């Protein structure tokens, strides 16, 4: 794993947006379409704000989330809402967004159709992951009901996930999908999360520190300032 520390969040956002744009553009020179997978949460917002204005053939870019809370898209906690407001705007409005949510009572009801739409887009070309203080990534939480199955090599594309402290039910891309990404970037802010990453590397157990499963060959981008 390569690790890059930035002096502040603004520099992190500017640099990572440039890196992502360069990678996407490079891949578009070799294939017709590119798949970009991004996290929800508050940290990626400034990155999305910059990336959305980059001159790129966005009409050839597929965008999907690493995971989603099972809430309507207009809910303040919706990751889809974040992406629609910060990334799928400006030039990037031409990109194709593939949702991880459908208006059903439970994730299980919608998973077959959602997975069917994602399958043809794999493998992921460029992946951006977030990380929690508890060392979770996407909605792969330690102690979650389906974590072990989601981390297995034969896991399906998507799985529902329920975990203590996670709030509402969620749906997440599974480990094989995330591990299959051609390029992986992990982004986080604050000294506490840096300690969490070091702990994850030391533990090196995907069931106790899910983020550890995706660090090999990845680049971590961070700043001590939130």
């Amino acid at each position: 794993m390569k690790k890059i520390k930035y002096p502040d969040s603004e520099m992190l956002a500017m640099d990572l947006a440039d890196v992502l744009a360069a990678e996407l553009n490079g891949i578009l020179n070799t294939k017709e379409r590119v798949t970009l997978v991004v996290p929800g949460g508050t940290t990626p917002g400034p990155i999305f704000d910059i990336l959305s204005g980059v001159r790129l053939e966005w009409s050839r870019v597929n965008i999907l989330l690493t995971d989603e809370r099972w809430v309507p898209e207009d809910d303040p906690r919706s990751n889809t809402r974040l992406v629609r407001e910060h990334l799928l705007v400006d030039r990037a409005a031409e990109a194709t967004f593939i949702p991880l949510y459908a208006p059903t009572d439970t994730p299980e009801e919608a998973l077959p159709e959602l997975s069917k739409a994602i399958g043809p887009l794999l493998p992921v070309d460029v992946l951006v992951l977030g990380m929690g203080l508890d060392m979770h990534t996407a909605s792969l939480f330690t102690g979650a009901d389906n974590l072990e199955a989601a981390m297995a090599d034969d896991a399906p594309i998507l799985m529902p996930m329920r975990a203590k402290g996670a709030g509402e039910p969620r749906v997440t891309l599974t480990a094989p999908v995330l591990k299959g990404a051609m390029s992986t970037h992990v982004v986080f802010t604050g000294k506490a999360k840096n300690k969490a990453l070091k702990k994850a590397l030391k533990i090196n157990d995907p069931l106790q520190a899910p983020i550890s499963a995706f660090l090999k060959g990845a680049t971590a981008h961070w700043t001590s300032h939130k």
Side-chain angles (χ1 to χ4, degrees):
M1 181 191 72
K2 181 182 177 182
K3 199 172 179 183
I4 303 173
K5 184 179 180 181
Y6 299 88
D8 53 47
S9 296
E10 184 178 356
M11 285 299 296
L12 187 159
M14 292 175 61
D15 188 80
L16 183 51
D18 284 346
V19 169
L20 296 176
E23 288 188 353
L24 293 171
N25 192 53
I27 296 167
L28 286 172
N29 287 331
T30 64
K31 57 190 290 191
E32 184 59 32
R33 297 193 65 83
V34 62
T35 299
L36 168 67
V37 175
V38 298
T42 56
T43 301
I47 301 166
F48 296 163
D49 289 336
I50 298 170
L51 184 60
S52 65
V54 170
R55 194 177 298 277
L56 193 70
E57 288 191 69
W58 286 104
S59 61
R60 296 166 58 196
V61 179
N62 305 309
I63 296 176
L64 64 151
L65 285 155
T66 58
D67 62 312
E68 181 58 285
R69 299 177 175 94
W70 209 250
V71 296
E73 292 187 5
D74 60 355
D75 189 290
R77 286 175 58 76
S78 169
N79 287 337
T80 298
R81 177 174 175 170
L82 172 85
V83 169
R84 290 196 184 282
E85 292 180 351
H86 293 274
L87 181 55
L88 298 171
V89 295
D90 202 351
R91 290 190 171 98
E94 294 185 10
T96 299
F97 180 68
I98 298 86
L100 293 190
Y101 172 80
T104 58
D105 290 338
T106 66
E108 285 83 353
E109 297 170 70
L111 284 187
E113 282 301 310
L114 294 175
S115 299
K116 185 177 178 181
I118 296 169
L121 311 180
L122 302 179
V124 174
D125 294 294
V126 181
L127 170 66
V128 183
L129 291 173
M131 182 191 67
L133 283 172
D134 59 357
M135 298 175 288
H136 86 270
T137 192
S139 281
L140 300 168
F141 291 89
T142 297
D145 57 351
N146 287 322
L147 179 63
E148 189 168 359
M151 299 302 293
D153 291 339
D154 60 351
I157 293 172
L158 287 174
M159 288 196 72
M161 201 68 64
R162 294 170 176 84
K164 184 178 180 181
E168 53 281 291
R170 303 189 180 204
V171 61
T172 185
L173 294 175
T174 58
V177 175
L178 300 177
K179 283 182 179 179
M182 304 302 291
S183 175
T184 299
H185 301 273
V186 181
V187 59
F188 61 92
T189 60
K191 294 179 180 179
K193 285 195 176 182
N194 187 45
K195 288 182 179 178
L197 183 68
K198 290 180 179 179
K199 183 179 179 181
L201 286 166
K202 188 175 181 179
I203 294 174
N204 196 28
D205 178 357
L207 298 183
Q208 297 300 318
I211 186 65
S212 67
F214 313 105
L215 297 178
K216 184 177 180 180
T219 301
H221 304 258
W222 80 288
T223 175
S224 58
H225 302 283
K226 289 189 176 182

